[in-house]
Structure formats: structure tokens, C-alpha cells
Amino acid sequence: LSDFAPQQTHVYTKNASYWDKDKVYIDQIVETYNSQYNTVGPQMVKTGEIDQADIGSDILDSWLLDPNTADLVSKYRAKVDYSYFYCFNFNPTFDAEYEPENWRLAVNNENFRQSLMAGLDRVRELSVLDPNDPQSLAINSVTPPGFTNADGKEYTQFGDLAAIMARDSFDETKALEYRDAARAELEAAGCTFPVKVLVRYNPATVDWDKECAVVEQQMEGLLGSDYIDIITVAGPESNFLTEVRRSGDYAFMKCGWGADYADPQTWTDPFYGDYKYAFLTEAMEAGDPVAVTVAEYRALVEAAIAETSDMARRYELFAAAEAYLIDHALAIPFSTSQTSYQVVRLNVFETQYAPFGVSGLRYKGQHLQSDYVSMEQFEANLAAWEAAR
């Protein structure tokens, strides 16, 4: 890192003393900050100012239909080292205007959480990111399918998790049944309707605002605006994790996690253990009703962690814990890494690859091409990589 000017420029320069420098083919990378990147990035590609830009769903069709740009568009490489899931905030710290105590009453009610889980049309939301094949991004587990295996069996096919993988959490009929049960229970507990649901998003993330708009329209349309009032709030662009997620300034939000090592335990970190910002930690500390459910989940995780000799048994126990997390709507599985579209001059299959860690972020091994990668080239590069693998 030869130059670092926050919100201005990052310059990375090849290290001539690196032990494997002959495998580093790019001499310098310059990253320039632009707060309007989502809007101007594609245009800057056309003018030759930058080598990579995301292509949002709002312009994807126009780029694919235009003969001048159709061959410039390709996809990101699919990953199994990261997944997204919707989280409920059990310890709200947001402003009084969003009624945090009323939200606390609602979110502690399992039927309420189940109504949101069954009422979220994930494929419809993912159509914002990939209008051509949104179903390919949706997953029913927190752990991405294909992440790891034991005794020749893929982890998500172990135990109780296998049944969850075979179904779709979106179910309009069940969503309405859960809604009616939750309303009766919550009204008796003094909860007022509609429940305000504060949904936050980072405007620096391409199309996240559009996803939130779809969620608001779709879920209020199904469950009724007299039941929930989804309120979407943007920002900040900088320090979003610290100021929003880690501080509890949200009610319901899409969150993500990346694997650190090749074992199912890595996917429990957002919800259990020593991770400082674990989503369920404060639910335990607050002593609210959901703490009983969280304690049972933690006990299942601890049983799995304790099994260190029989790997198949270990996977079965972790699958039981993950199934419990999902069955009790403590989190809502959403998608794998969202392989949206881009314009880029790199063959993304030349970089290192692993189902965990940061291998995919390294530029080592990659060449900067003279032309942008087309979709046809992307598919050919994928086929070559799969064959070599």
C-alpha cells in the first residue's frame, strides 16, 4: 500500500521483494473514491477512466441490448464463502419515532418473526440483482450449499437441515396464518399495530435501495400495511457497520457473513460465541422471552463444538443447531454472494479460490486484459476453470 488517502485514493504497488513476484502480473492498482460511483461508474468505463464497474439492474438490459456495450458485460465469480441473511434486532437502540419498545414486544413473538420469514419473497427481491436468474442466488440455509463435506456428504444435507433445504421459506398461506396468530397474541400483550419495522441500507451498495423498496412493497402488500409499516432509511455510506448494525440502529436488515475456515462452526459466529457483535448475544443479556429460544440454540451449538472425533456426527449436530435457528425464525436465510454483473478487464477465474478466507480478494495470478470480458468469455473461462479443477 504505497498511498492511502481516505475517501480519495488508495494506491497498491507490486512488491519487488515478494517471494513469488513472478506470479504477480499487475504492477500497480489505483483505487479512486467517488461518492457517485453507482451512477457514474459505468459511464467512466465507456470513457476509459476506470477498468471495472458494477452494472446495476436498472441499466443491465440497456447495456445488453446495445451492440456497443453488450460484449462488455460479464458476471462476478460465484462464491460459497459468503452468505446473506435477514436479522432481527432484539435490542433496538433506534430513535423513539420508530417505537423501539413496541418493536421489542413484536420481535420477541415467534409467530411475528415467522410471519416475516414466510412473507419474504426472496426470489422477487433477488430479481433486482439478477433479473435473468434470481432463483440461483436464493438459499434456504445460512451455510451456503457446497461449502464443505464429511464422509462424501455435503453439509447442508445432514440431519434436520436437509428438510429445510428442500423447501422454500416463502409461503403466502402460512405467512397469513402466522400474522393472524401473532396479532392476537401481541394485542393481548399491549403491542400496537402497525408495527414499525425500521429497515436500513447502505446507499454505497449497488441496488440495495431498490431491494428495500421491493421488500417494503411486497411484504406490506401480502401481510397488510395495517400489520407492519416498513420504513427504509439510508446511510451512512461510511462506517455503516459500526453506526447501524453494531449499534443496533435497525429493526430488520439484510446482513452477511463470510467463512473463516472450512468447518460449519464458522457459520455460527454471527449468532454465538465470542464474536463481539453476535446478533443473539444481547437477546440473551436482555432477559426477554426470546432468550429461552436463544439458550436452546446455544446449547445445540455447544454440543456440536464438543464433538471433535467423528466428523459426520459433528456435522449432524451443527446441522441440528442451524435448523433450530431457522425453524424458530431467529434469522432468515436469504442468498449466497450476490453474483451481480460488471464490466471488468480481469479474468476473475485466475485469482486464488477457497470456500473461506480472503483468497478471492487477491490480485496475484490475474492479468489485466486489453479488452473487457464478455459473457461468452466469462462462460468459457468458467468451463476451463471447472475442467482444470
Side-chain angles (χ1 to χ4, degrees):
L1 181 62
S2 53
D3 187 27
F4 179 73
Q7 293 192 321
Q8 293 182 41
T9 306
H10 300 167
V11 179
Y12 302 91
T13 304
K14 178 178 177 177
N15 179 7
S17 299
Y18 179 55
W19 72 274
D20 204 19
K21 60 182 179 295
D22 291 342
K23 301 287 179 60
V24 179
Y25 307 114
I26 299 174
D27 294 325
Q28 187 180 74
I29 298 166
V30 180
E31 295 182 344
T32 304
Y33 177 79
N34 189 318
S35 62
Q36 302 301 313
Y37 164 76
N38 291 347
T39 303
V40 304
Q43 185 59 38
M44 293 175 73
V45 165
K46 290 182 178 180
T47 57
E49 297 174 71
I50 57 177
D51 297 310
Q52 187 275 337
D54 293 322
I55 303 299
S57 60
D58 54 334
I59 63 171
L60 177 61
D61 285 345
S62 63
W63 273 62
L64 291 176
L65 292 172
D66 186 340
N68 296 315
T69 56
D71 288 338
L72 306 182
V73 180
S74 61
K75 276 189 173 184
Y76 278 89
R77 181 186 200 166
K79 300 177 182 179
V80 295
D81 64 344
Y82 210 87
S83 82
Y84 291 88
F85 40 87
Y86 270 87
C87 285
F88 298 96
N89 182 6
F90 294 98
N91 189 33
T93 62
F94 43 77
D95 292 343
E97 66 177 297
Y98 303 117
E99 302 176 359
E101 291 309 311
N102 198 58
W103 167 257
R104 186 190 292 274
L105 271 176
V107 76
N108 268 270
N109 180 279
E110 183 167 324
N111 280 319
F112 178 80
R113 298 195 307 274
Q114 294 281 10
S115 71
L116 268 58
M117 184 174 186
L120 176 64
D121 187 343
R122 298 171 304 158
V123 173
R124 183 169 173 181
E125 179 181 348
L126 287 165
S127 296
V128 171
L129 302 174
D130 189 345
N132 298 315
D133 189 18
Q135 185 67 52
S136 66
L137 299 178
I139 57 175
N140 297 332
S141 54
V142 172
T143 303
F147 172 70
T148 189
N149 303 269
D151 290 351
K153 186 177 179 180
E154 201 274 316
Y155 164 71
T156 61
Q157 294 305 308
F158 275 86
D160 299 335
L161 203 52
I164 289 175
M165 297 302 293
R167 70 186 190 223
D168 186 351
S169 60
F170 177 58
D171 188 318
E172 294 186 348
T173 300
K174 286 187 176 180
L176 298 178
E177 291 174 356
Y178 285 129
R179 177 201 63 184
D180 294 342
R183 183 188 286 273
E185 293 167 353
L186 287 171
E187 284 179 342
C191 185
T192 59
F193 291 90
V195 175
K196 291 184 178 180
V197 184
L198 176 61
V199 175
R200 300 292 300 273
Y201 67 90
N202 188 338
T205 300
V206 175
D207 289 335
W208 198 353
D209 58 336
K210 298 180 181 67
E211 286 185 72
C212 290
V214 168
V215 169
E216 179 179 6
Q217 180 187 46
Q218 181 263 312
M219 293 186 74
E220 286 187 0
L222 173 59
L223 297 172
S225 56
D226 60 336
Y227 178 67
I228 53 171
D229 176 16
I230 294 179
I231 304 167
T232 61
V233 176
E237 289 189 4
S238 301
N239 300 319
F240 182 83
L241 284 179
T242 298
E243 295 190 24
V244 177
R245 194 175 89 182
R246 293 171 180 168
S247 67
D249 192 12
Y250 72 96
F252 184 63
M253 187 171 71
K254 186 180 76 172
C255 302
W257 188 255
D260 297 308
Y261 47 88
D263 184 83
Q265 185 178 345
T266 193
W267 295 100
T268 69
D269 286 347
F271 312 103
Y272 169 88
D274 295 330
Y275 175 53
K276 183 179 179 182
Y277 305 106
F279 296 111
L280 302 180
T281 300
E282 290 178 333
M284 286 287 293
E285 294 172 351
D288 288 337
V290 75
V292 175
T293 306
V294 174
E296 179 61 29
Y297 166 72
R298 292 171 67 90
L300 290 168
V301 172
E302 287 163 6
I305 292 173
E307 176 56 72
T308 57
S309 58
D310 184 338
M311 292 306 293
R313 176 61 178 161
R314 178 180 175 86
Y315 280 32
E316 186 173 325
L317 291 170
F318 272 115
E322 186 167 337
Y324 185 91
L325 179 87
I326 297 166
D327 281 338
H328 290 274
L330 293 174
I332 304 174
F334 182 63
S335 78
T336 55
S337 284
Q338 294 152 7
T339 53
S340 51
Y341 294 81
Q342 64 174 336
V343 175
V344 69
R345 291 173 58 198
L346 297 172
N347 173 1
V348 295
F349 296 98
E350 288 184 327
T351 192
Q352 299 173 50
Y353 176 83
F356 57 91
V358 295
S359 296
L361 300 179
R362 295 174 178 147
Y363 287 96
K364 178 180 177 180
Q366 291 189 287
H367 298 80
L368 187 65
Q369 301 182 176
S370 58
D371 298 321
Y372 293 101
V373 178
S374 68
M375 195 69 73
E376 183 178 351
Q377 290 172 322
F378 175 88
E379 296 295 344
N381 292 338
L382 170 59
W385 177 74
E386 288 283 10
R389 190 183 183 200

